[in-house]
Amino acid sequence: MAGTEFNQYRLKYDIPRNVIGSASNVIYTAKGMGWVNGRLERRLSFQEVNLKHLLDKPSRPARRLERGTILQAQTPKTFGDWMSEHVSSLAIALNRLGTLDPLILPSHWLAKPYVKRDLARLGIEAIAIDEPVEIAQATVLSKTRPGHYWTAAETDNLRKALKVTPKPARPGSAVYLSRLGEKGEGPQRQMNNTLIEAAMMAAGVSIIRTAGRLLEEYLAAAGNAETVFADHGSAMYNLVYWQTKRVVELHSPDYWDGSFLMFADGLGIHDYHVWMVGETMTVDALRNRALYLLEKPIDHNQAPIMLAG
């Protein structure tokens, strides 16, 4: 239904969830599904449970681990999911406990470069599995939010756990995070990046193509990121490494959700704009809109502005 409704709610649990729990004698599968006493438990599983998982009851575990940490999550598919559901919970747990038992992950997930990179930054040991294991005593990190909705406390935890000290941005600087050439891990959303890049270049905005970029390149770009124009996509989570003061999120007519709006709000970025780039948009119109915005001072108390075109 995304894109057909015009309401965006900040969702929260009426009774706050405890992030850190425990379970004994968990059979954990290569798909990250947690079984106890022959019962598949949602709270112990790395992705949403479906009928196929219920029918895929694990055989005798290949080995037994005395201790380990497992994550409850919903959609382990993209870098955005990793940041929103997994790293956020790990950051909360680390800042409360100081250390964690080894994190048990499906091997295909731990093979992702950004997962390895961020676990190293967090100082967390991980064990990859490709067959069922038994965990005698598991620390369970629960999914804390019903969606990708961030609070300031969570973004503070994230920066602390990742050991982030953002460098100040040069006043008046602006950068565009372009998905041109990017093949996402999730649903493919088409943007007219060629048009957007032409408009941004005409407005004097620096361009970073996010496909294949290393974290070090994002860190090096901090000085150019007072205003960030960005296609709706996982690369926007790199705002955590910058002292950005204004964001313009660009999206197609096909899809938008409020995850990055909520993330920016948690980071204290309140001058936030959402622009739809549709078939009627032209290079000149987008350039003029960008120039008009860049000439205005940063507004730290502004409510989000949404425009279509």
Side-chain angles (χ1 to χ4, degrees):
M1 296 298 290
T4 64
E5 296 185 354
F6 295 94
N7 46 31
Q8 292 292 331
Y9 302 106
R10 182 188 289 277
L11 303 178
K12 66 177 182 179
Y13 289 107
D14 192 42
I15 301 174
R17 307 189 80 196
N18 185 12
V19 179
I20 305 168
S22 62
S24 300
N25 301 318
V26 178
I27 307 299
Y28 202 65
T29 75
K31 294 181 180 178
M33 312 310 292
W35 294 72
V36 175
N37 295 326
R39 182 180 66 249
L40 176 58
E41 295 205 13
R42 175 68 187 87
R43 72 181 185 94
L44 305 178
S45 296
F46 191 61
Q47 57 184 299
E48 193 63 78
V49 172
N50 60 38
L51 180 59
K52 185 176 180 179
H53 295 134
L54 285 168
L55 297 175
D56 190 20
K57 190 172 182 179
S59 57
R60 181 183 297 275
R63 55 177 167 152
R64 177 182 171 90
L65 303 173
E66 291 303 318
R67 306 190 67 84
T69 300
I70 57 178
L71 280 164
Q72 181 196 30
Q74 183 176 352
T75 48
K77 296 179 181 178
T78 70
F79 175 62
D81 300 331
W82 168 243
M83 289 292 290
S84 180
E85 294 192 24
H86 312 152
V87 177
S88 58
S89 295
L90 290 169
I92 293 171
L94 275 177
N95 289 325
R96 290 187 185 176
L97 301 177
T99 60
L100 288 173
D101 291 325
L103 181 63
I104 314 302
L105 287 175
S107 59
H108 75 275
W109 189 248
L110 187 55
K112 295 177 181 287
Y114 54 77
V115 174
K116 292 180 179 179
R117 177 200 71 197
D118 290 342
L119 288 178
R121 290 182 66 87
L122 292 166
I124 294 176
E125 178 188 352
I127 297 175
I129 62 167
D130 51 20
E131 53 188 348
V133 299
E134 181 178 10
I135 308 171
Q137 190 62 41
T139 299
V140 183
L141 305 186
S142 299
K143 179 175 167 56
T144 58
R145 285 170 270 124
H148 294 183
Y149 298 87
W150 294 78
T151 65
E154 289 172 321
T155 55
D156 287 346
N157 269 317
L158 184 63
R159 278 181 164 163
K160 181 179 177 182
L162 289 171
K163 305 174 182 64
V164 174
T165 306
K167 295 181 180 179
R170 176 172 49 82
S173 61
V175 66
Y176 166 49
L177 299 181
S178 170
R179 288 174 61 86
L180 186 65
E182 179 81 41
K183 182 173 175 56
E185 297 171 284
Q188 303 304 303
R189 297 183 294 273
Q190 300 299 318
M191 292 282 289
N192 191 342
N193 294 112
T194 302
L195 180 150
I196 300 171
E197 286 192 5
M200 293 296 145
M201 291 178 66
V205 177
S206 301
I207 295 174
I208 295 177
R209 291 182 178 173
T210 59
R213 291 291 176 183
L214 299 175
L215 175 60
E216 289 73 18
E217 295 176 274
Y218 286 106
L219 296 175
N224 296 325
E226 183 180 58
T227 293
V228 172
F229 296 83
D231 299 334
H232 178 95
S234 299
M236 291 189 70
Y237 279 121
N238 288 292
L239 290 169
V240 72
Y241 298 109
W242 296 339
Q243 284 194 31
T244 299
K245 302 191 182 305
R246 174 164 53 200
V247 170
V248 180
E249 182 182 350
L250 307 169
H251 70 99
S252 72
D254 301 325
Y255 186 84
W256 181 79
D257 67 55
S259 54
F260 304 113
L261 168 62
M262 301 297 182
F263 185 64
D265 182 64
L267 292 173
I269 305 169
H270 304 305
D271 194 336
Y272 199 99
H273 306 253
V274 182
W275 294 356
M276 185 176 75
V277 180
E279 292 182 358
T280 62
M281 182 65 73
T282 65
V283 171
D284 287 345
L286 187 56
R287 177 202 62 201
N288 293 339
R289 184 181 290 179
L291 286 171
Y292 175 75
L293 179 67
L294 291 171
E295 290 171 356
K296 296 175 62 177
I298 303 290
D299 186 346
H300 298 286
N301 299 308
Q302 175 176 291
I305 294 177
M306 308 183 75
L307 296 172

